[in-house]
């Protein structure tokens, strides 16, 4: 039967003329005649994602391009086109369309239509495509044209959004009321609730610019802003304070650097540069996690680096492309290994699906339009080049990626969704382009982008509630989505309302800012001191013993090269037990402190740049103590680095005294790393008593010209002033936080679930940890002098929901608490009832 069909087809195509019913004096109607034939008999192999033989018919350009064997259509001589040859073939291996089981061959009429179309020059309907070309995200920045308006000082995002509404035939939603806005913007920018009195004053204010002023004022609250957005960045940069890798030393935090960067509002491009080309403060991100046991080839540190920088900064998910060419986008295995090769300390072989290919990776950047890595350069130079390319002025992906994530954080859904697929077409290219360009033009000031979004009408509209399945339907912007509180913010609000925030923190960060009042009332008593070198001499002194000889006389082994230490010591007598001892060691970043022979480590001693902040209340004992500062010994003839130490001691009777470096200290170069390895170097040890102690030298202006983020006085004040209450973002995750959606951060997380799971619902209704927090909070609130239960109810609603309770809610509260003084249990029940409301748990 197949032979008969092939003979019939050949007869039709080679006949000098066509049967009357098939003959056409003009080319066939492409859309209505030709396309149905091509779609039915050729579409399975040559349209959509399929390019059998390298041939696609998706577009006219694809048709003209041809296959892996060359063009299939010859526009100069259509009758000799390859496509006619394969259609007319009688060979079952080459005939097109192929002879397939259970699939009919083209009819004689359909073949005649194709022949007539091809011999007529294969005219293609302008703009027609079997499948439209995939969206190609631009590389460089594009600044969209802002629609003209007569409105003075019109917000650019609002003008672009108006054009979007007009294009989609919809109207701009109404704005939210002032109380809703006050609650929303507080939660979004600093993660805390406005005080009830503030909300009242804000609502009553008639100032036209009160919303813009509030946004600016909240962004200026450096500490609250930093500690709220720390959660966002910890997720994005896979940073945490405990978990996989920390026990074995296979993971390192970047907490101190990240906190300081956010507090100082470091330009985003500089943040990226320091993370891509890491230093000792930022290498924890670049190095990723050293997993215990055997891992896949896609989880080596080099590949983790490629995955991390592409996902965090470019919105590209290279996880699939770390094993094989991606099935879902254009990224290939060589793209992932190209980035990995930059970070690798030695050549790496490409592995495809866990099998080595024999091909070595070559350092490369996935956007060659911006520039390329010189793979012949040393690793350090390649990393520097990569940092330059990531932050290049023509790399618009960098700014658009973070701008899109900020939009998603404040609006509830990204302009590009999901936010890790920045090659996907945004629902508004114009808004995304404007946000990215604005960030770049404002020197990558992240707060400027947050301010731009928050001051727009898009942000200040009434919120919409997500509906089931709306993520699968075509997205149309109708206003900001109601969003769940993060696990950290939920706890912060509970602690804020009840005044029960913990005082401890797990994050090794320096919080807050030096109090201006305390700065003006405080002075340092310490002097910078160092061990002055002995005068250099060209003449050897045979009577002068070397350190090794001195140690040998004392029966001790010589020090290994690079292990010698200089110790500065002073005996301290405390007349009574201390309530608090805090202060700083300010040096060149190399000093360590021992109290009574014990080497101090985190959390009592944390280093931040040139400052080691010390909290030593439990380290000192009443009466006699010895404090010691250890530094690496300088080379012969070179002075040791200066340091300044100042501690403030508050004794039980409230009196204060200072422990400070000065010329009464003594120094010795007789110590080594081996002595402090056990963790103790007691003042009663022979090594301490028999040391050769020398006087120290004070230098008044030792740090006067030092360019540092803060001066010693500011650092000292920060260490002694009361610490603000802790935020959940500074604490290790607990069961409640994990239940409410805090990730373990073994992987980068760019969005958290918005749906409430059954486990979360159970924990919010009967969880042990939440019950303990509610009981503690209720106990604290019960101590306040409430006028009556109605006053407590009204205050709680005004604080938690920024509105007064309804009559029904007030009645329910009265029934719960009665008319007498509220009991702890009734307050706990009321507190739970308010916190369990969706209205409380959503940012609306």
């Amino acid at each position: 039967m197949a032979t008969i069909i092939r003979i019939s087809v050949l007869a039709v195509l080679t006949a000098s003329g066509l049967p009357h019913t098939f003959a056409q004096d003009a080319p066939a109607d492409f859309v209505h005649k030709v396309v149905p034939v091509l779609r039915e008999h050729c579409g399975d192999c040559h349209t959509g994602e399929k390019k059998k033989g390298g041939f696609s018919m998706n577009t006219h350009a694809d048709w003209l391009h041809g296959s892996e064997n060359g063009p299939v259509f010859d526009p100069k001589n259509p009758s000799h086109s390859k496509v006619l040859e394969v259609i007319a073939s009688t060979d079952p291996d080459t005939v097109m369309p192929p002879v397939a089981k259970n699939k009919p061959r083209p009819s004689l009429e359909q073949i005649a239509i194709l022949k007539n179309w091809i011999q007529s020059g294969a005219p293609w309907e302008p703009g027609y495509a079997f499948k439209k070309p995939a969206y190609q995200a631009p590389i460089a920045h594009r600044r969209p044209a802002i629609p003209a308006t007569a409105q003075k000082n019109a917000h650019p995002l609002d003008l672009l959004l108006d054009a979007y509404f007009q294009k989609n035939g919809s109207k701009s939603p109404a704005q939210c009321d002032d109380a809703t806005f006050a609650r929303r913007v507080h939660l979004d920018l600093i993660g805390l609730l406005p005080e009830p009195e503030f909300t009242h004053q804000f609502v009553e204010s008639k100032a036209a610019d009160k919303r813009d002023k509030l946004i600016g004022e909240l962004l200026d609250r450096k500490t609250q802003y930093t500690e709220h957005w720390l959660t966002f960045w910890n997720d994005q940069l896979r940073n945490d304070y405990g978990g996989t890798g920390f026990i074995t030393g296979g993971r390192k935090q970047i907490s101190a650097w990240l906190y300081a960067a956010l507090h100082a509002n470091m330009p985003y491009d500089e943040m990226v540069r320091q993370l891509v080309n890491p230093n000792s403060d930022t290498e924890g991100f670049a190095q990723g996690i050293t997993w215990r046991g055997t891992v896949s080839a896609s989880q080596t540190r080099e590949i983790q680096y490629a995955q991390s920088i592409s996902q965090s900064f470019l919105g590209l998910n290279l996880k699939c492309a770390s094993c094989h060419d991606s099935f879902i986008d254009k990224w290939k295995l060589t793209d992932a290994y190209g980035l990995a090769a930059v970070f690798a300390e030695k050549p790496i072989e490409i592995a495809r699906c866990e099998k080595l290919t024999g091909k070595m990776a070559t350092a490369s950047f996935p956007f060659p339009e911006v520039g390329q890595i010189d793979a012949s350069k040393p690793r350090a130079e390649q990393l520097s080049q990569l940092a330059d390319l990531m932050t290049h002025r023509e790399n618009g992906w960098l700014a658009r990626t973070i701008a899109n994530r900020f939009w998603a954080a404040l609006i509830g859904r990204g302009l590009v969704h999901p936010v890790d697929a920045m090659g996907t077409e945004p629902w508004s290219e114009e808004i995304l382009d404007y946000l990215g360009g604005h960030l770049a033009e404002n020197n990558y000031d992240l707060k400027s982008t947050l301010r731009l979004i928050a001051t727009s009408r898009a942000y200040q509209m009434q919120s919409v509630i997500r509906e089931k399945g709306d993520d699968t339907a075509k997205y149309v912007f109708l206003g900001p989505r109601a969003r769940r509180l993060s696990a950290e913010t939920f706890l912060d609000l509970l602690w804020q309302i009840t005044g029960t925030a913990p005082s401890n923190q797990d994050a090794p960060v320096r919080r807050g800012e030096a109090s201006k009042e305390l700065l003006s009332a405080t002075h340092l008593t310490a002097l910078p001191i160092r061990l002055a070198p002995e005068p250099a001499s060209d003449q050897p002194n045979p009577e002068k013993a070397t350190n090794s000889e001195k140690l040998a006389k004392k029966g001790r082994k010589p020090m290994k090269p690079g292990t010698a230490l200089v110790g500065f010591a002073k005996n301290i007598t405390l007349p009574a037990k201390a309530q608090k001892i805090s202060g700083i060691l300010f040096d060149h970043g190399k000093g360590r402190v021992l109290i009574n022979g014990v080497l101090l480590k985190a959390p009592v001693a944390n280093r931040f740049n040139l400052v080691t902040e010390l909290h030593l209340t439990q380290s000192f004992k009443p009466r006699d103590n010895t404090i010691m500062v250890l530094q690496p010994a300088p080379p012969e003839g070179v002075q040791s680095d200066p340091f300044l130490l100042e501690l403030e001691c508050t004794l039980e009777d409230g009196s204060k005294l200072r422990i400070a470096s000065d010329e009464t200290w003594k120094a010795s170069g007789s110590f080594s790393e081996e002595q402090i390895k056990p963790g103790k170097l007691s003042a009663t040890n022979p090594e301490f008593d028999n040391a050769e102690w020398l006087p120290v030298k004070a230098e008044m202006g030792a740090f006067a010209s030092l360019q540092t983020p803060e001066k010693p006085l500011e650092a000292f004040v920060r260490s002694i002033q009361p610490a603000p209450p802790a935020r959940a973002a500074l604490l290790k995750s607990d069961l409640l936080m994990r239940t409410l959606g805090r990730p373990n951060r073994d992987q980068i997380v760019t969005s958290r679930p918005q749906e409430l799971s059954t486990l979360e619902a159970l924990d919010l209704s009967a969880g042990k940890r939440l019950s303990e927090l509610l009981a503690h909070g209720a106990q604290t609130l019960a101590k306040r002098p409430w006028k009556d239960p109605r006053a407590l109810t009204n205050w709680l609603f005004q604080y938690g929901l920024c509105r007064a309770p309804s009559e029904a809610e007030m009645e329910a509260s009265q029934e719960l608490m009665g008319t007498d003084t509220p009991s702890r249990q009734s307050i706990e029940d009321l507190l739970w009832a308010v916190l369990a409301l969706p209205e409380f748990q959503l940012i609306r």
Side-chain angles (χ1 to χ4, degrees), residues 306-528:
Q307 295 170 352
S308 295
I309 65 171
S310 57
Q311 184 178 2
S312 291
F313 308 134
L314 299 175
L316 303 180
N317 194 330
L318 291 186
K319 290 184 173 65
C320 288
S322 299
C323 187
H324 49 73
D325 291 349
S326 177
F327 301 140
I328 58 175
D329 53 37
K330 70 176 185 179
W331 305 110
K332 303 198 177 293
L333 186 63
T334 51
D335 293 318
Y337 271 87
L339 289 173
V342 178
F343 188 71
E345 295 182 347
K346 58 182 180 180
I348 53 175
E349 185 177 352
I350 297 175
R352 184 186 299 275
C353 298
E354 297 302 300
K355 294 183 178 180
L356 295 175
T357 64
K359 298 178 181 179
M360 305 306 292
T362 301
S364 62
F365 187 60
F367 300 126
E369 298 89 342
V370 175
Q372 197 48 271
I373 305 292
D374 186 345
S376 68
K377 298 294 184 181
R379 177 178 183 268
E381 289 189 42
Q382 290 185 32
L383 285 168
S384 179
Q385 290 177 11
L386 179 57
D388 290 341
L389 293 172
M390 290 286 285
T391 58
H392 195 281
R393 63 181 181 275
E394 294 299 323
N395 182 12
W397 280 62
L398 178 71
R400 287 195 294 270
T401 296
I402 189 59
N404 183 60
R405 288 178 182 168
F406 275 4
W407 180 277
L410 298 184
I411 304 295
R413 189 185 193 276
L415 293 149
V416 174
H417 179 81
V419 296
D420 282 339
M422 286 303 291
T424 307
E425 186 173 4
W427 61 261
S428 173
E429 282 190 88
E430 293 78 14
I431 292 178
L432 180 59
D433 287 341
Y434 188 89
L435 286 172
H438 179 273
L439 177 60
E441 290 170 7
N442 284 271
N443 299 317
Y444 289 89
D445 180 348
L446 293 175
K447 288 187 178 182
S448 73
T449 299
L450 292 173
R451 183 180 290 105
L452 179 68
I453 297 172
T455 53
S456 71
R457 193 170 72 249
Y459 175 78
Q460 299 179 25
M461 293 172 179
Q462 292 178 358
S463 64
V464 295
I465 304 298
R466 296 176 67 248
E467 297 180 0
K468 188 175 182 180
D470 68 354
D471 264 343
T472 59
K474 181 182 178 181
Y475 178 75
V476 178
F477 179 76
L478 298 173
R481 284 180 169 179
R483 291 157 284 126
R484 287 182 60 189
L485 298 174
S486 69
E488 293 88 339
T489 300
F490 179 86
L491 283 175
D492 284 341
L493 301 193
L494 171 56
W495 292 333
Q496 180 188 6
I497 291 171
T498 59
T500 56
S503 57
N504 63 299
Q505 67 183 62
D506 295 310
V509 301
R510 300 193 69 206
R511 302 181 61 207
E513 304 157 55
S515 161
K516 294 181 179 179
E517 294 77 11
L518 198 55
L519 270 174
S520 61
T522 306
H523 67 279
L524 294 177
T525 63
L527 298 175

Side-chain angles (χ1 to χ4, degrees), residues 565-583:
L565 299 171
V566 176
F568 299 82
K570 183 176 176 66
N571 294 324
I572 304 295
T573 300
L574 294 183
K577 185 178 180 180
Q579 286 186 332
K580 180 182 178 181
I581 302 179
S582 298

Side-chain angles (χ1 to χ4, degrees), residues 35-355:
V35 165
V37 178
L38 294 176
R39 191 184 299 279
E40 179 182 357
H41 295 287
C42 307
D44 285 350
C45 296
H46 303 294
T47 62
E49 301 297 330
K50 296 182 179 179
K51 296 175 62 175
K52 196 163 185 180
F55 176 49
S56 170
M57 300 188 313
N58 280 336
T59 66
H60 192 209
D62 291 333
W63 165 266
L64 293 175
H65 180 270
S67 71
E68 60 190 17
N69 296 318
V72 300
F73 171 69
D74 184 353
K76 294 181 179 180
N77 194 351
S79 296
H80 289 79
S81 296
K82 181 74 173 177
V83 66
L84 282 179
E85 180 184 328
V86 297
I87 289 176
S89 175
T90 59
D91 185 348
D93 294 329
T94 61
V95 64
M96 292 293 164
V99 178
K101 292 181 180 180
N102 303 320
K103 187 164 185 177
R105 294 281 300 157
S107 69
L108 298 180
E109 182 179 4
Q110 290 174 323
I111 292 174
I113 289 172
L114 292 181
K115 180 186 177 187
N116 182 60
W117 172 64
I118 293 167
Q119 290 183 331
S120 300
W124 196 283
E125 184 77 15
Y128 183 85
F130 285 91
K131 181 180 180 181
K132 291 184 179 180
Y135 172 78
Q136 293 293 325
I139 306 298
H141 290 287
R142 299 186 308 189
R143 195 61 184 262
I146 303 298
T149 180
Q151 184 180 351
K152 187 178 180 180
N153 298 324
H155 198 293
L157 296 185
D158 294 339
L159 295 177
L160 292 171
L161 200 55
D162 287 340
Y164 170 84
F165 286 133
Q166 184 176 4
K167 178 181 177 182
N168 286 274
S170 55
K171 293 183 179 180
S172 176
Q175 299 293 91
C176 66
D177 59 65
D178 284 340
T180 298
F181 172 78
R183 185 178 192 271
R184 180 188 297 176
V185 76
H186 272 78
L187 292 176
D188 278 335
L189 297 186
I190 63 171
L192 296 171
L193 290 164
E195 298 281 345
E197 183 58 30
F198 172 86
T199 303
H200 175 74
Q201 293 175 358
F202 184 78
V203 170
E204 293 299 315
S205 172
K206 304 300 181 185
D209 61 347
K210 63 181 181 181
R211 293 193 177 190
D212 287 359
K213 284 186 175 179
L214 176 56
I215 291 166
E217 188 266 322
L218 293 175
L219 289 173
D220 286 341
R221 297 188 190 179
K222 293 183 178 180
T223 299
Q224 292 179 343
Y225 162 85
T226 298
E227 295 179 356
H228 171 59
W229 283 91
L230 191 63
T231 292
F232 172 91
W233 287 105
N234 277 339
D235 284 1
Q236 305 277 323
L237 301 176
R238 192 166 66 176
N239 183 60
D240 217 333
Y241 321 123
T244 303
F246 286 110
I247 295 177
T248 61
R251 189 174 177 184
K252 182 179 178 182
Q253 296 184 46
I254 60 169
S255 303
W257 174 87
L258 178 58
Y259 189 100
L262 296 177
H263 197 273
N265 196 31
M266 180 186 290
Y268 181 59
D269 59 338
E270 180 57 28
M271 289 177 64
V272 172
R273 290 187 65 84
Q274 294 188 31
L275 290 163
V276 171
N277 184 13
N279 54 48
S280 59
D281 294 326
T282 63
E283 63 186 358
F285 170 76
Q287 291 177 353
I289 300 175
T290 298
W291 301 90
R292 285 188 289 179
T294 303
V295 297
S296 68
S298 64
Q299 283 301 298
T300 63
R301 280 202 156 176
E302 296 84 2
I303 295 294
Q304 285 183 58
Y305 175 82
Q307 295 170 352
S308 295
I309 65 171
S310 57
Q311 184 178 2
S312 291
F313 308 134
L314 299 175
L316 303 180
N317 194 330
L318 291 186
K319 290 184 173 65
C320 288
S322 299
C323 187
H324 49 73
D325 291 349
S326 177
F327 301 140
I328 58 175
D329 53 37
K330 70 176 185 179
W331 305 110
K332 303 198 177 293
L333 186 63
T334 51
D335 293 318
Y337 271 87
L339 289 173
V342 178
F343 188 71
E345 295 182 347
K346 58 182 180 180
I348 53 175
E349 185 177 352
I350 297 175
R352 184 186 299 275
C353 298
E354 297 302 300
K355 294 183 178 180

